[in-house]
Amino acid sequence: MGDKKEKKVLVYNSDAPIEEQVVSLLKGLKKTITTAESITGGMISAAITSVEGASECFKVGYVSYSNKAKRKLLSVKKELLRKEGAVSSSVAKEMAIGAMMESEADLAVAVTGNAGPTALEAKEIGLVYIAVCAGGKTKVEEYHFTGNRKEIREQCCNTALVMVRNYLLEKMT
């Protein structure tokens, strides 16, 4: 006769726009989020905060477009930026960890990549790294988006929000 741990049942509208799903899940779980954005320049933060009630779960958004900002705001190591470049899995991971540590949020999402129109750091246009950090673990995924600069940035924003939603559904429920 042990105590059974009750699994939380979350109700959210899976047909709603992705940012509404994320905010609904965060609020339902009583969790907070922060963003660390390079390639998207604040689009993820804007999407989240466009949802009514986001102030209950959104801590802060860091737009760290320059390497200096990545170092100063998010504690990304200078040597790492020099060695691997801003568009790398390791930098995305450090951005997410740094944002979470600075903001004391429950979860952080970070994005870095190359939206074009020219190759950055000799890395292909459309190459993007998205990191989600929570519960002492960080997951980084690599993507290769296509389209123009605007389309690549929009795909990155949407995919980052999908990663957050999926994390919340898989890990926190």
Side-chain angles (χ1 to χ4, degrees):
M1 281 180 72
D3 290 330
K4 288 185 179 177
K5 189 176 179 184
E6 221 178 283
K7 191 168 184 169
K8 285 185 182 179
V9 177
L10 295 175
V11 179
Y12 79 102
N13 182 355
S14 61
D15 293 328
I18 188 64
E19 61 271 19
E20 290 180 18
Q21 293 178 47
V22 167
V23 169
S24 178
L25 287 167
L26 286 164
K27 286 168 54 177
L29 292 164
K30 299 186 180 348
K31 300 293 181 185
T32 58
I33 189 170
T34 188
T35 62
E37 302 179 65
S38 184
I39 184 174
T40 50
M43 290 172 72
I44 300 167
S45 297
I48 293 169
T49 59
S50 73
V51 178
E52 184 179 335
S55 60
E56 292 176 43
C57 60
F58 185 77
K59 282 265 194 162
V60 64
Y62 299 94
V63 177
S64 55
Y65 210 67
S66 71
N67 285 351
K68 185 176 183 178
K70 288 174 184 65
R71 291 193 326 267
K72 297 239 181 227
L73 297 173
L74 305 170
S75 302
V76 176
K77 294 175 195 72
K78 193 175 196 173
E79 312 82 62
L80 181 64
L81 288 162
R82 220 182 258 135
K83 182 181 163 193
E84 296 191 27
V87 181
S88 67
S89 175
S90 300
V91 168
K93 181 178 181 178
E94 284 209 4
M95 287 172 65
I97 293 168
M100 200 162 95
M101 299 299 284
E102 283 296 320
S103 69
E104 298 179 355
D106 298 306
L107 182 146
V109 60
V111 294
T112 186
N114 184 7
T118 57
L120 175 71
E121 301 173 346
K123 295 182 181 169
E124 69 185 81
I125 295 167
L127 175 62
V128 170
Y129 294 94
I130 303 174
V132 174
C133 179
K137 294 184 180 167
T138 307
K139 178 180 182 177
V140 182
E141 292 186 4
E142 178 180 313
Y143 293 92
H144 299 267
F145 297 125
T146 59
N148 62 33
R149 181 177 177 80
K150 181 179 185 278
E151 292 165 339
I152 290 168
R153 293 173 74 229
E154 287 170 350
Q155 291 170 71
C156 180
C157 178
N158 188 63
T159 303
L161 289 168
V162 168
M163 277 183 67
V164 170
R165 189 236 4 240
N166 292 347
Y167 176 84
L168 292 169
L169 288 172
E170 292 168 12
K171 305 292 184 190
M172 296 181 134
T173 56

